[in-house]
Amino acid sequence: MAQKKILYVTSECKGFAVTGGLAEVAGSLPKAIMTANKNYKVKVLMPLYKTIHENYSSELSLVGSTTVVLAWRSVYCGVYTIKKDDVEYYFIDNKYYFDRDQLYGYYDDGERFAYFSKAVFTAMEIMKFYPDFIHTNDWHTALVNVYLDILYKKQGYLMDIKSIFTIHNIEYQGIYDKFFLENVVGIDELYTGILEYNGLINLMKGAIVCSDVITTVSPRYAKEISTTAYACGLEHIIRTNNQKLIGIINGIDTEFYNPLTDKALKYNFDVDHFSEKLENKKELQKALGLEVNEKVCLISVVSRLVQHKGMDLILDRFQDIMQENIQFILLGTGEKYYEDKFREFASWYPGRVSTLITFNNQLSKRIYAGSDLFLMPSKMEPCGLSQMIASRYGTIPIVRATGGLFDTIRDYSNDGNGFVFKDYDSYKMLEKIKEAVHLFQNQEEFVKLAQKVMSVDFTWNKSAKEYIEMYQNISKK
Ligand code: GLC
């Protein structure tokens, strides 16, 4: 079989630039695909952000440069590359757009990513890489699929390339006013209808319409996003394009998240050396100023502090939760309202509650390893990775049954691998927490469950095969 080539286009990637789960996926799926099938060659393409310049200056090598036309602008585009862990990464360089302290959050994000999307085609020329598949992710790269369809295919170019668009979160769609089309995107008025939605320009909608296949990050979420409660306004578009939508659950990088070798931990462990987990718990309690006591059940949350992660449920029932013999750790950043509330809670319960308003990968691993229970009461969760990471470190998840949480965690009462509540209701969450804390009292049973949780296969192996099957199926069309 001839080699199949994939250009994997992303706005962030672990090891280079990270704000969330997309980076985890981009940092592990390409390698998993190439491992699962040697006939597949995946190259990753992303913006050359300031931090990448700073951290990799000696390793980056220039492949070539030219200019990209974006509506009335003519702008510089350089392409650099690095090979890392057997994957070739390519970076689009333009200091005006990407030499900034953050990845996102600027007034001109729409223009920055329209430029990046347009530059993808120029980069292909410079890389001399003509893929069979272009695979893009979320709204930042959505215009790639649109440009491929209307600027190239409709004019008879790049006809053989298939395009795939993955929705990691339908909440962020890339919505702009109509001037954006002429002023930034620069496409013929004829095609306005493709990007227009509710009187505005919606980039995610454009990609959904133009792609050959749409994937999302769990089978359950694939069903949920055709309903009003989950689609954030795009339900009609999802429903009309349902025949090309599939849900494939994410895996996690089990090498990076390996309690047996993880250097962030003082005491390494695995299922057969489980007692060392307890040492991590005591270490964590000490480091965070909690009472060092193995008999107290330690519950943790590692999350962005935003509404859809279910933070309101925790706020509503916090004092009830604290009635139990537990300690509570929260690590994350997000909306100021939640940050302040959790800081306040920490001041109410000295020695029992620790609030860490920061993001720190090393610390998060120590929390995953040192806790007994991991709470994730999301209102919406396309896939969710933390429940799998916590499991890998032998920490039992308590989750709401939505999206990927539904697909990865089954309730203890059902011979499962965690505690699951169904309704988005703080009292239902409280019940489950109580149930879990009650099981903690029976250490023998609790450890048995934790060991079971730890043994679940959350590697990419199975999902990488599903991606390959998806690529093969579109090739036949
Ligand atoms: C987004 C989703 C999260 C998912 C991640 C990776 O961050 O909110 O649920 O796990 O993307 O696909």
PDB file of all heavy atoms in Angstrom, residues 49-77:
ATOM      1  N   TYR A  49       4.919  30.414  18.014  1.00  0.00           N
ATOM      2  CA  TYR A  49       4.677  31.391  19.084  1.00  0.00           C
ATOM      3  C   TYR A  49       5.999  31.807  19.727  1.00  0.00           C
ATOM      4  O   TYR A  49       7.012  31.115  19.607  1.00  0.00           O
ATOM      5  CB  TYR A  49       3.786  30.783  20.175  1.00  0.00           C
ATOM      6  CG  TYR A  49       2.408  30.375  19.719  1.00  0.00           C
ATOM      7  CD1 TYR A  49       2.075  29.035  19.588  1.00  0.00           C
ATOM      8  CD2 TYR A  49       1.434  31.336  19.443  1.00  0.00           C
ATOM      9  CE1 TYR A  49       0.809  28.640  19.195  1.00  0.00           C
ATOM     10  CE2 TYR A  49       0.159  30.948  19.051  1.00  0.00           C
ATOM     11  CZ  TYR A  49      -0.153  29.606  18.926  1.00  0.00           C
ATOM     12  OH  TYR A  49      -1.400  29.224  18.537  1.00  0.00           O
ATOM     13  N   LYS A  50       5.909  32.907  20.462  1.00  0.00           N
ATOM     14  CA  LYS A  50       7.089  33.467  21.142  1.00  0.00           C
ATOM     15  C   LYS A  50       7.806  32.414  22.010  1.00  0.00           C
ATOM     16  O   LYS A  50       9.023  32.279  21.959  1.00  0.00           O
ATOM     17  CB  LYS A  50       6.622  34.631  22.021  1.00  0.00           C
ATOM     18  CG  LYS A  50       7.707  35.421  22.650  1.00  0.00           C
ATOM     19  CD  LYS A  50       7.066  36.590  23.376  1.00  0.00           C
ATOM     20  CE  LYS A  50       8.096  37.479  24.020  1.00  0.00           C
ATOM     21  NZ  LYS A  50       7.436  38.648  24.631  1.00  0.00           N
ATOM     22  N   THR A  51       7.036  31.661  22.790  1.00  0.00           N
ATOM     23  CA  THR A  51       7.664  30.686  23.698  1.00  0.00           C
ATOM     24  C   THR A  51       8.435  29.618  22.923  1.00  0.00           C
ATOM     25  O   THR A  51       9.424  29.095  23.415  1.00  0.00           O
ATOM     26  CB  THR A  51       6.615  29.947  24.553  1.00  0.00           C
ATOM     27  OG1 THR A  51       5.614  29.441  23.670  1.00  0.00           O
ATOM     28  CG2 THR A  51       5.992  30.831  25.586  1.00  0.00           C
ATOM     29  N   ILE A  52       7.977  29.303  21.730  1.00  0.00           N
ATOM     30  CA  ILE A  52       8.680  28.285  20.943  1.00  0.00           C
ATOM     31  C   ILE A  52      10.010  28.852  20.447  1.00  0.00           C
ATOM     32  O   ILE A  52      11.047  28.202  20.523  1.00  0.00           O
ATOM     33  CB  ILE A  52       7.805  27.778  19.771  1.00  0.00           C
ATOM     34  CG1 ILE A  52       6.431  27.322  20.292  1.00  0.00           C
ATOM     35  CG2 ILE A  52       8.503  26.656  19.013  1.00  0.00           C
ATOM     36  CD1 ILE A  52       5.450  26.874  19.214  1.00  0.00           C
ATOM     37  N   HIS A  53       9.958  30.115  19.996  1.00  0.00           N
ATOM     38  CA  HIS A  53      11.186  30.821  19.624  1.00  0.00           C
ATOM     39  C   HIS A  53      12.183  30.766  20.760  1.00  0.00           C
ATOM     40  O   HIS A  53      13.354  30.452  20.584  1.00  0.00           O
ATOM     41  CB  HIS A  53      10.873  32.320  19.396  1.00  0.00           C
ATOM     42  CG  HIS A  53      10.751  32.689  17.957  1.00  0.00           C
ATOM     43  ND1 HIS A  53      11.763  32.491  17.077  1.00  0.00           N
ATOM     44  CD2 HIS A  53       9.731  33.265  17.267  1.00  0.00           C
ATOM     45  CE1 HIS A  53      11.373  32.923  15.890  1.00  0.00           C
ATOM     46  NE2 HIS A  53      10.142  33.384  15.979  1.00  0.00           N
ATOM     47  N   GLU A  54      11.674  31.109  21.953  1.00  0.00           N
ATOM     48  CA  GLU A  54      12.564  31.223  23.112  1.00  0.00           C
ATOM     49  C   GLU A  54      13.141  29.872  23.531  1.00  0.00           C
ATOM     50  O   GLU A  54      14.320  29.752  23.820  1.00  0.00           O
ATOM     51  CB  GLU A  54      11.808  31.859  24.290  1.00  0.00           C
ATOM     52  CG  GLU A  54      11.573  33.343  24.078  1.00  0.00           C
ATOM     53  CD  GLU A  54      10.612  33.948  25.101  1.00  0.00           C
ATOM     54  OE1 GLU A  54      10.018  33.196  25.912  1.00  0.00           O
ATOM     55  OE2 GLU A  54      10.436  35.168  25.068  1.00  0.00           O
ATOM     56  N   ASN A  55      12.274  28.848  23.557  1.00  0.00           N
ATOM     57  CA  ASN A  55      12.726  27.562  24.100  1.00  0.00           C
ATOM     58  C   ASN A  55      13.469  26.683  23.108  1.00  0.00           C
ATOM     59  O   ASN A  55      14.162  25.760  23.503  1.00  0.00           O
ATOM     60  CB  ASN A  55      11.537  26.766  24.653  1.00  0.00           C
ATOM     61  CG  ASN A  55      10.863  27.501  25.796  1.00  0.00           C
ATOM     62  OD1 ASN A  55      11.516  28.286  26.473  1.00  0.00           O
ATOM     63  ND2 ASN A  55       9.581  27.267  25.996  1.00  0.00           N
ATOM     64  N   TYR A  56      13.269  26.919  21.824  1.00  0.00           N
ATOM     65  CA  TYR A  56      13.837  25.991  20.839  1.00  0.00           C
ATOM     66  C   TYR A  56      14.725  26.682  19.812  1.00  0.00           C
ATOM     67  O   TYR A  56      14.976  26.124  18.745  1.00  0.00           O
ATOM     68  CB  TYR A  56      12.713  25.248  20.108  1.00  0.00           C
ATOM     69  CG  TYR A  56      11.966  24.265  20.967  1.00  0.00           C
ATOM     70  CD1 TYR A  56      10.804  24.638  21.623  1.00  0.00           C
ATOM     71  CD2 TYR A  56      12.428  22.957  21.123  1.00  0.00           C
ATOM     72  CE1 TYR A  56      10.111  23.744  22.428  1.00  0.00           C
ATOM     73  CE2 TYR A  56      11.744  22.047  21.920  1.00  0.00           C
ATOM     74  CZ  TYR A  56      10.590  22.445  22.567  1.00  0.00           C
ATOM     75  OH  TYR A  56       9.913  21.550  23.355  1.00  0.00           O
ATOM     76  N   SER A  57      15.184  27.901  20.121  1.00  0.00           N
ATOM     77  CA  SER A  57      15.879  28.680  19.091  1.00  0.00           C
ATOM     78  C   SER A  57      17.026  27.903  18.423  1.00  0.00           C
ATOM     79  O   SER A  57      17.221  28.004  17.219  1.00  0.00           O
ATOM     80  CB  SER A  57      16.362  30.011  19.652  1.00  0.00           C
ATOM     81  OG  SER A  57      17.282  29.740  20.674  1.00  0.00           O
ATOM     82  N   SER A  58      17.746  27.114  19.198  1.00  0.00           N
ATOM     83  CA  SER A  58      18.900  26.430  18.597  1.00  0.00           C
ATOM     84  C   SER A  58      18.493  25.213  17.765  1.00  0.00           C
ATOM     85  O   SER A  58      19.244  24.757  16.914  1.00  0.00           O
ATOM     86  CB  SER A  58      19.885  26.015  19.683  1.00  0.00           C
ATOM     87  OG  SER A  58      19.212  25.151  20.565  1.00  0.00           O
ATOM     88  N   GLU A  59      17.292  24.683  18.020  1.00  0.00           N
ATOM     89  CA  GLU A  59      16.875  23.478  17.282  1.00  0.00           C
ATOM     90  C   GLU A  59      16.051  23.771  16.027  1.00  0.00           C
ATOM     91  O   GLU A  59      15.939  22.932  15.136  1.00  0.00           O
ATOM     92  CB  GLU A  59      16.042  22.569  18.190  1.00  0.00           C
ATOM     93  CG  GLU A  59      16.874  21.896  19.268  1.00  0.00           C
ATOM     94  CD  GLU A  59      16.029  21.489  20.448  1.00  0.00           C
ATOM     95  OE1 GLU A  59      15.210  20.571  20.292  1.00  0.00           O
ATOM     96  OE2 GLU A  59      16.165  22.136  21.510  1.00  0.00           O
ATOM     97  N   LEU A  60      15.455  24.969  15.983  1.00  0.00           N
ATOM     98  CA  LEU A  60      14.589  25.292  14.846  1.00  0.00           C
ATOM     99  C   LEU A  60      15.408  25.483  13.575  1.00  0.00           C
ATOM    100  O   LEU A  60      16.399  26.217  13.591  1.00  0.00           O
ATOM    101  CB  LEU A  60      13.849  26.603  15.123  1.00  0.00           C
ATOM    102  CG  LEU A  60      12.667  26.550  16.075  1.00  0.00           C
ATOM    103  CD1 LEU A  60      12.269  27.967  16.505  1.00  0.00           C
ATOM    104  CD2 LEU A  60      11.473  25.854  15.435  1.00  0.00           C
ATOM    105  N   SER A  61      15.000  24.838  12.497  1.00  0.00           N
ATOM    106  CA  SER A  61      15.710  25.151  11.251  1.00  0.00           C
ATOM    107  C   SER A  61      14.725  25.658  10.203  1.00  0.00           C
ATOM    108  O   SER A  61      13.593  25.172  10.075  1.00  0.00           O
ATOM    109  CB  SER A  61      16.507  23.952  10.758  1.00  0.00           C
ATOM    110  OG  SER A  61      15.639  22.940  10.356  1.00  0.00           O
ATOM    111  N   LEU A  62      15.192  26.675   9.467  1.00  0.00           N
ATOM    112  CA  LEU A  62      14.337  27.327   8.484  1.00  0.00           C
ATOM    113  C   LEU A  62      14.192  26.440   7.246  1.00  0.00           C
ATOM    114  O   LEU A  62      15.171  25.970   6.693  1.00  0.00           O
ATOM    115  CB  LEU A  62      14.961  28.676   8.102  1.00  0.00           C
ATOM    116  CG  LEU A  62      14.198  29.492   7.054  1.00  0.00           C
ATOM    117  CD1 LEU A  62      12.882  30.006   7.620  1.00  0.00           C
ATOM    118  CD2 LEU A  62      15.043  30.673   6.565  1.00  0.00           C
ATOM    119  N   VAL A  63      12.944  26.239   6.824  1.00  0.00           N
ATOM    120  CA  VAL A  63      12.719  25.453   5.609  1.00  0.00           C
ATOM    121  C   VAL A  63      12.609  26.387   4.409  1.00  0.00           C
ATOM    122  O   VAL A  63      13.087  26.091   3.323  1.00  0.00           O
ATOM    123  CB  VAL A  63      11.429  24.602   5.738  1.00  0.00           C
ATOM    124  CG1 VAL A  63      11.288  23.639   4.553  1.00  0.00           C
ATOM    125  CG2 VAL A  63      11.399  23.834   7.040  1.00  0.00           C
ATOM    126  N   GLY A  64      11.971  27.532   4.620  1.00  0.00           N
ATOM    127  CA  GLY A  64      11.832  28.496   3.528  1.00  0.00           C
ATOM    128  C   GLY A  64      10.903  29.620   3.934  1.00  0.00           C
ATOM    129  O   GLY A  64      10.312  29.588   5.019  1.00  0.00           O
ATOM    130  N   SER A  65      10.777  30.643   3.072  1.00  0.00           N
ATOM    131  CA  SER A  65       9.865  31.736   3.405  1.00  0.00           C
ATOM    132  C   SER A  65       9.311  32.373   2.137  1.00  0.00           C
ATOM    133  O   SER A  65       9.915  32.268   1.061  1.00  0.00           O
ATOM    134  CB  SER A  65      10.578  32.789   4.248  1.00  0.00           C
ATOM    135  OG  SER A  65      11.583  33.408   3.486  1.00  0.00           O
ATOM    136  N   THR A  66       8.171  33.012   2.303  1.00  0.00           N
ATOM    137  CA  THR A  66       7.531  33.685   1.168  1.00  0.00           C
ATOM    138  C   THR A  66       6.478  34.659   1.715  1.00  0.00           C
ATOM    139  O   THR A  66       6.517  35.005   2.900  1.00  0.00           O
ATOM    140  CB  THR A  66       6.906  32.630   0.216  1.00  0.00           C
ATOM    141  OG1 THR A  66       6.321  33.307  -0.892  1.00  0.00           O
ATOM    142  CG2 THR A  66       5.836  31.799   0.883  1.00  0.00           C
ATOM    143  N   THR A  67       5.555  35.104   0.866  1.00  0.00           N
ATOM    144  CA  THR A  67       4.486  35.962   1.390  1.00  0.00           C
ATOM    145  C   THR A  67       3.129  35.292   1.179  1.00  0.00           C
ATOM    146  O   THR A  67       2.949  34.492   0.262  1.00  0.00           O
ATOM    147  CB  THR A  67       4.429  37.340   0.683  1.00  0.00           C
ATOM    148  OG1 THR A  67       4.661  37.126  -0.692  1.00  0.00           O
ATOM    149  CG2 THR A  67       5.417  38.309   1.225  1.00  0.00           C
ATOM    150  N   VAL A  68       2.217  35.661   2.058  1.00  0.00           N
ATOM    151  CA  VAL A  68       0.857  35.116   1.990  1.00  0.00           C
ATOM    152  C   VAL A  68      -0.100  36.284   1.784  1.00  0.00           C
ATOM    153  O   VAL A  68       0.063  37.334   2.412  1.00  0.00           O
ATOM    154  CB  VAL A  68       0.515  34.379   3.304  1.00  0.00           C
ATOM    155  CG1 VAL A  68      -0.970  34.085   3.419  1.00  0.00           C
ATOM    156  CG2 VAL A  68       1.318  33.085   3.407  1.00  0.00           C
ATOM    157  N   VAL A  69      -1.062  36.107   0.913  1.00  0.00           N
ATOM    158  CA  VAL A  69      -2.035  37.161   0.674  1.00  0.00           C
ATOM    159  C   VAL A  69      -3.283  36.881   1.511  1.00  0.00           C
ATOM    160  O   VAL A  69      -3.861  35.795   1.454  1.00  0.00           O
ATOM    161  CB  VAL A  69      -2.412  37.223  -0.822  1.00  0.00           C
ATOM    162  CG1 VAL A  69      -3.549  38.216  -1.047  1.00  0.00           C
ATOM    163  CG2 VAL A  69      -1.198  37.602  -1.652  1.00  0.00           C
ATOM    164  N   LEU A  70      -3.643  37.879   2.341  1.00  0.00           N
ATOM    165  CA  LEU A  70      -4.827  37.734   3.185  1.00  0.00           C
ATOM    166  C   LEU A  70      -5.709  38.952   2.923  1.00  0.00           C
ATOM    167  O   LEU A  70      -5.391  40.048   3.385  1.00  0.00           O
ATOM    168  CB  LEU A  70      -4.402  37.666   4.654  1.00  0.00           C
ATOM    169  CG  LEU A  70      -5.475  37.309   5.657  1.00  0.00           C
ATOM    170  CD1 LEU A  70      -5.946  35.873   5.485  1.00  0.00           C
ATOM    171  CD2 LEU A  70      -4.971  37.522   7.083  1.00  0.00           C
ATOM    172  N   ALA A  71      -6.779  38.760   2.168  1.00  0.00           N
ATOM    173  CA  ALA A  71      -7.598  39.874   1.679  1.00  0.00           C
ATOM    174  C   ALA A  71      -6.679  40.917   1.020  1.00  0.00           C
ATOM    175  O   ALA A  71      -5.956  40.577   0.081  1.00  0.00           O
ATOM    176  CB  ALA A  71      -8.456  40.461   2.785  1.00  0.00           C
ATOM    177  N   TRP A  72      -6.609  42.156   1.551  1.00  0.00           N
ATOM    178  CA  TRP A  72      -5.775  43.186   0.911  1.00  0.00           C
ATOM    179  C   TRP A  72      -4.336  43.205   1.413  1.00  0.00           C
ATOM    180  O   TRP A  72      -3.515  43.984   0.989  1.00  0.00           O
ATOM    181  CB  TRP A  72      -6.406  44.569   1.118  1.00  0.00           C
ATOM    182  CG  TRP A  72      -6.827  44.805   2.550  1.00  0.00           C
ATOM    183  CD1 TRP A  72      -8.049  44.555   3.080  1.00  0.00           C
ATOM    184  CD2 TRP A  72      -6.007  45.277   3.623  1.00  0.00           C
ATOM    185  NE1 TRP A  72      -8.062  44.847   4.422  1.00  0.00           N
ATOM    186  CE2 TRP A  72      -6.821  45.299   4.781  1.00  0.00           C
ATOM    187  CE3 TRP A  72      -4.672  45.688   3.723  1.00  0.00           C
ATOM    188  CZ2 TRP A  72      -6.350  45.702   6.028  1.00  0.00           C
ATOM    189  CZ3 TRP A  72      -4.204  46.099   4.970  1.00  0.00           C
ATOM    190  CH2 TRP A  72      -5.031  46.102   6.101  1.00  0.00           C
ATOM    191  N   ARG A  73      -4.042  42.296   2.341  1.00  0.00           N
ATOM    192  CA  ARG A  73      -2.684  42.296   2.912  1.00  0.00           C
ATOM    193  C   ARG A  73      -1.761  41.334   2.187  1.00  0.00           C
ATOM    194  O   ARG A  73      -2.195  40.312   1.678  1.00  0.00           O
ATOM    195  CB  ARG A  73      -2.696  41.821   4.368  1.00  0.00           C
ATOM    196  CG  ARG A  73      -3.574  42.578   5.281  1.00  0.00           C
ATOM    197  CD  ARG A  73      -3.775  41.793   6.564  1.00  0.00           C
ATOM    198  NE  ARG A  73      -4.854  42.368   7.339  1.00  0.00           N
ATOM    199  CZ  ARG A  73      -6.130  42.214   7.034  1.00  0.00           C
ATOM    200  NH1 ARG A  73      -6.504  41.489   5.993  1.00  0.00           N
ATOM    201  NH2 ARG A  73      -7.067  42.791   7.761  1.00  0.00           N
ATOM    202  N   SER A  74      -0.484  41.665   2.234  1.00  0.00           N
ATOM    203  CA  SER A  74       0.520  40.739   1.742  1.00  0.00           C
ATOM    204  C   SER A  74       1.518  40.595   2.887  1.00  0.00           C
ATOM    205  O   SER A  74       2.174  41.555   3.251  1.00  0.00           O
ATOM    206  CB  SER A  74       1.165  41.371   0.507  1.00  0.00           C
ATOM    207  OG  SER A  74       1.911  40.403  -0.144  1.00  0.00           O
ATOM    208  N   VAL A  75       1.562  39.425   3.498  1.00  0.00           N
ATOM    209  CA  VAL A  75       2.348  39.295   4.736  1.00  0.00           C
ATOM    210  C   VAL A  75       3.382  38.176   4.677  1.00  0.00           C
ATOM    211  O   VAL A  75       3.192  37.160   4.016  1.00  0.00           O
ATOM    212  CB  VAL A  75       1.434  39.061   5.975  1.00  0.00           C
ATOM    213  CG1 VAL A  75       1.130  40.340   6.685  1.00  0.00           C
ATOM    214  CG2 VAL A  75       0.160  38.347   5.604  1.00  0.00           C
ATOM    215  N   TYR A  76       4.429  38.368   5.457  1.00  0.00           N
ATOM    216  CA  TYR A  76       5.540  37.415   5.510  1.00  0.00           C
ATOM    217  C   TYR A  76       5.095  36.066   6.084  1.00  0.00           C
ATOM    218  O   TYR A  76       4.275  35.991   6.999  1.00  0.00           O
ATOM    219  CB  TYR A  76       6.655  38.003   6.395  1.00  0.00           C
ATOM    220  CG  TYR A  76       7.752  37.015   6.721  1.00  0.00           C
ATOM    221  CD1 TYR A  76       8.776  36.755   5.814  1.00  0.00           C
ATOM    222  CD2 TYR A  76       7.751  36.326   7.937  1.00  0.00           C
ATOM    223  CE1 TYR A  76       9.776  35.836   6.111  1.00  0.00           C
ATOM    224  CE2 TYR A  76       8.745  35.402   8.237  1.00  0.00           C
ATOM    225  CZ  TYR A  76       9.751  35.162   7.317  1.00  0.00           C
ATOM    226  OH  TYR A  76      10.725  34.242   7.605  1.00  0.00           O
ATOM    227  N   CYS A  77       5.666  35.009   5.564  1.00  0.00           N
ATOM    228  CA  CYS A  77       5.422  33.676   6.110  1.00  0.00           C
ATOM    229  C   CYS A  77       6.714  32.868   6.034  1.00  0.00           C
ATOM    230  O   CYS A  77       7.231  32.606   4.955  1.00  0.00           O
ATOM    231  CB  CYS A  77       4.323  32.982   5.303  1.00  0.00           C
ATOM    232  SG  CYS A  77       4.185  31.207   5.601  1.00  0.00           S
TER     233      CYS A  77
END
